[in-house]
């Protein structure tokens, strides 16, 4: 019998695809799906920041074929043709992506044949034939980039030695994605690099098309993006490095910058100068906060990238004691679990925390309730109730966040770590 999961974080793969495409400037998703899909997938993946979205098109403005019984019986390709044409006529986008819902996937509508008709007419229309039941929304991030590699990114472009592509920070799945990308990009630019974030600074499809020029792909995530990274290297000769999780604070970000410097053979003096400048900046502020926050025994319940970054920072840089880390997205490969556990085991100044992999809110709540000696819980809006029952300090720092409007706040890097400490203090 199938398992029932309480409060799943995210949605189907269609929701994940939509959240990624929605974060790219001047891109229009077109749904070939039932009438509830566009509203549901937008809510599940973009409703984390006070139910607001920064997408070019979002929620009910997403074009959809709204498939009903007639399309199930007779096929929906004719209706898809008129929907695509209507989107082109009304929405001035640089690219249109046709996404299949479960209904279209089950009946087997040939969306590629339809999109090819529009390509022949000179329109940038691309099919993503991955129905919602194919996986969860984390998979949507990889599906989008596989599509870009196969259909959009150009071959045989002259390399730029100082250009890098930044991957692994997933729009809306990281509530602070925009600010985190801006902070990491700021640091990389100080090293003399040009940065493709793809989702900030009004970067667009043109940056995606020419991303094969890059000298390096930088993946900020402990397990996602393996397939696209391999395809990038095989097809475009762009190698990748993986930093396991979000770099937060001086120690973690220094490690990250040294890794980038080594991969690109950057001048050691420049890399160390940037690290010294950023260390001086962040410690100048931290010195003012000595004594404002008492020592904490903490638990983190978050996606792997966020959980690793926050745990390493508070343990290594701020001398808090990690007791429990709950990784809340479904992770199936044992090698990925072992990499995450290794990162949480090899802390500099703390005893390793207990690590639990759990996606079911009922199980997450039980694990948190069983830990008696906690004084701080860091998690999503879903953990607010259990923290109240335990009467411990709580801050919301991970997806989903239901009661905050987030523009460009960051937890990543040097400056983002100061924001995290501010939030800790504000929620005493």
């Amino acid at each position: 019998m199938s398992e029932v999961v309480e409060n799943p974080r995210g949605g189907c793969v269609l929701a994940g695809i939509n959240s990624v495409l929605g974060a790219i400037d001047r891109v229009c998703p077109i749904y070939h799906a039932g009438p509830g899909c566009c509203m549901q997938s937008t809510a599940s993946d973009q409703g984390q920041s006070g139910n607001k979205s920064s997408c070019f098109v979002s929620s009910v403005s997403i074009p959809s074929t709204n498939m009903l019984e007639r399309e199930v019986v007779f096929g929906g390709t004719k209706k898809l043709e008129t929907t695509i044409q209507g989107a082109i006529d009304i929405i001035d986008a640089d690219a249109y992506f046709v996404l299949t819902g479960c209904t279209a996937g089950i009946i087997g509508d040939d969306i590629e044949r339809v999109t090819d008709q529009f390509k022949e007419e000179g329109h940038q229309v691309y099919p993503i034939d991955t129905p919602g039941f194919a996986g969860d929304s984390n998979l949507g991030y990889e599906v989008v980039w596989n599509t870009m590699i196969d259909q959009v990114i150009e071959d045989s472009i002259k390399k730029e030695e100082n250009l890098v592509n930044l991957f692994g920070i997933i729009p809306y799945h990281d509530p602070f994605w925009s600010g985190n990308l801006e902070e990491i990009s700021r640091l990389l630019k100080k090293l003399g690099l040009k940065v493709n974030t793809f989702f900030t600074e009004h970067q667009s499809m043109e940056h995606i098309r020419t991303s094969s020029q890059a000298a390096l792909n930088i993946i900020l995530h402990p397990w996602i993006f393996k397939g696209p990274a391999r395809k990038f290297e095989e097809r475009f000769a762009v190698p990748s490095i993986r930093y396991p999780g979000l770099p937060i604070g001086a120690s973690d970000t220094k490690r990250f910058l040294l890794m980038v410097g080594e991969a690109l053979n950057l001048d050691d003096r420049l890399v160390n100068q940037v690290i010294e400048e950023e260390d001086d900046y962040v410690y100048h502020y931290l010195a003012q906060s000595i004594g404002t926050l008492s020592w904490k025994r903490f638990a983190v319940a978050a996606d792997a990238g966020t959980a690793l970054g926050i745990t390493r920072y508070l343990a290594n840089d701020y001398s808090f004691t990690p007791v429990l880390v709950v990784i809340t997205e479904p992770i199936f490969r044992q090698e990925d679990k072992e990499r995450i556990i290794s990162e949480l085991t090899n802390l500099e100044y703390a005893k390793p925390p207990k690590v639990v992999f759990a996606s079911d809110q009922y199980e997450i709540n039980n694990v948190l309730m069983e830990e008696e000696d906690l004084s701080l819980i860091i998690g999503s809006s879903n953990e607010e109730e259990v923290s109240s029952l335990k009467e411990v300090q709580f801050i919301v720092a991970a997806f989903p966040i239901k009661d905050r409007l987030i523009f460009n706040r960051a937890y990543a890097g040097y400056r983002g770590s100061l924001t995290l400490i501010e939030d800790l203090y504000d929620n005493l």
Side-chain angles (χ1 to χ4, degrees), residues 36-327:
C37 284
C38 66
M39 296 183 69
Q40 182 61 37
S41 66
T42 301
S44 64
D45 271 298
Q46 296 170 5
Q48 50 75 30
S49 57
N51 295 316
K52 300 296 189 295
S53 169
S54 62
C55 297
F56 180 62
V57 291
S58 62
S59 192
V60 293
S61 65
I62 296 175
S64 175
T65 55
N66 292 333
M67 299 178 72
L68 297 172
E69 290 88 345
R70 179 182 179 86
E71 286 72 45
V72 172
V73 175
F74 298 106
T77 55
K78 287 294 183 183
K79 195 171 186 181
L80 177 59
E81 290 175 12
T82 60
T83 302
I84 294 174
Q85 187 60 59
I88 292 172
D89 292 342
I90 295 171
I91 300 174
D92 181 24
D94 293 335
Y96 305 83
F97 287 83
V98 177
L99 319 180
T100 51
C102 294
T103 305
I106 291 170
I107 67 175
D109 273 354
D110 187 358
I111 68 166
E112 188 171 346
R113 179 186 61 80
V114 177
T115 57
D116 283 346
Q117 296 174 10
F118 287 91
K119 285 181 183 177
E120 291 171 3
E121 297 172 5
H123 301 292
Q124 302 302 311
V125 182
Y126 304 97
I128 303 183
D129 194 4
T130 306
F133 56 72
D136 74 346
S137 47
N138 284 294
L139 177 62
Y141 183 76
E142 295 198 357
V143 168
V144 169
W145 284 109
N146 281 324
T147 299
M148 298 300 186
I149 293 168
D150 294 338
Q151 302 186 49
V152 177
I153 300 175
E154 298 175 2
D155 290 305
S156 305
I157 300 178
K158 185 179 179 181
K159 297 291 182 184
E160 288 192 40
E161 293 184 358
N162 67 333
L163 177 65
V164 297
N165 298 323
L166 194 56
F167 297 108
I169 295 177
I170 305 177
Y172 303 101
H173 267 250
D174 178 352
F176 303 91
W177 63 273
S178 185
N180 285 342
L181 285 171
E182 289 177 4
E183 169 65 0
I184 298 299
S185 178
R186 180 187 72 84
L187 294 169
L188 294 174
K189 287 176 181 177
K190 288 189 71 172
L191 297 178
L193 302 175
K194 292 173 61 178
V195 185
N196 282 334
T197 68
F198 307 109
F199 305 117
T200 62
E201 301 174 352
H202 293 292
Q203 293 190 8
S204 62
M205 289 296 294
E206 184 61 27
H207 292 83
I208 294 173
R209 288 192 183 94
T210 58
S211 60
S212 54
Q213 291 179 302
L216 184 69
N217 288 336
I218 300 171
I219 306 167
L220 296 177
H221 203 282
W223 64 272
I224 213 164
F225 207 75
K226 286 183 181 179
R230 185 165 53 248
K231 292 175 74 171
F232 247 104
E233 185 156 14
E234 292 172 351
R235 183 165 177 178
F236 307 122
V238 181
S240 299
I241 60 170
R242 178 182 298 276
Y243 190 83
L246 195 66
I248 300 176
S251 298
D252 233 26
T253 312
K254 174 182 177 180
R255 176 186 166 198
F256 165 68
L257 293 176
L258 290 172
M259 180 186 291
V260 173
E262 181 179 358
L264 292 171
N265 295 315
L266 300 179
D267 185 342
D268 289 342
R269 290 173 297 179
L270 172 61
V271 176
N272 288 321
Q273 178 184 338
V274 171
I275 291 170
E276 289 174 7
E277 290 173 356
E278 295 296 322
D279 278 351
D280 177 70
Y281 181 91
V282 76
Y283 284 123
H284 166 73
Y285 284 103
L286 287 179
Q288 302 174 32
S289 68
I290 293 174
T292 59
L293 286 172
S294 59
W295 171 75
K296 302 286 184 181
R297 289 175 57 86
F298 69 94
V300 179
D303 61 277
T306 301
L308 287 174
I310 289 176
T311 302
R312 288 189 303 234
Y313 173 60
L314 293 181
N316 292 339
D317 287 24
Y318 220 74
S319 301
F320 284 7
T321 299
V323 176
L324 171 66
V325 177
V326 184
I327 306 299

Side-chain angles (χ1 to χ4, degrees), residues 378-395:
I378 302 169
S380 71
S381 294
N382 293 349
E383 282 70 55
E384 189 167 7
E385 181 179 1
V386 71
S387 67
S388 177
L389 292 172
K390 290 180 70 67
E391 298 183 335
V392 300
Q393 183 186 356
F394 170 73
I395 69 166

Side-chain angles (χ1 to χ4, degrees), residues 355-419:
V355 182
V356 175
F357 294 87
S359 302
D360 182 5
Q361 193 63 47
Y362 178 79
E363 185 178 350
I364 294 168
N365 289 349
N366 284 343
V367 171
L368 289 169
M369 288 297 295
E370 288 169 2
E371 291 295 337
E372 296 181 359
D373 194 14
L374 286 177
S375 51
L376 168 66
I377 294 175
I378 302 169
S380 71
S381 294
N382 293 349
E383 282 70 55
E384 189 167 7
E385 181 179 1
V386 71
S387 67
S388 177
L389 292 172
K390 290 180 70 67
E391 298 183 335
V392 300
Q393 183 186 356
F394 170 73
I395 69 166
V396 58
F399 179 87
I401 296 178
K402 301 175 182 176
D403 56 357
R404 295 177 66 183
L405 175 60
I406 300 169
F407 289 126
N408 64 341
R409 289 173 67 83
Y411 282 168
Y414 287 91
R415 298 186 179 185
S417 67
L418 297 177
T419 302

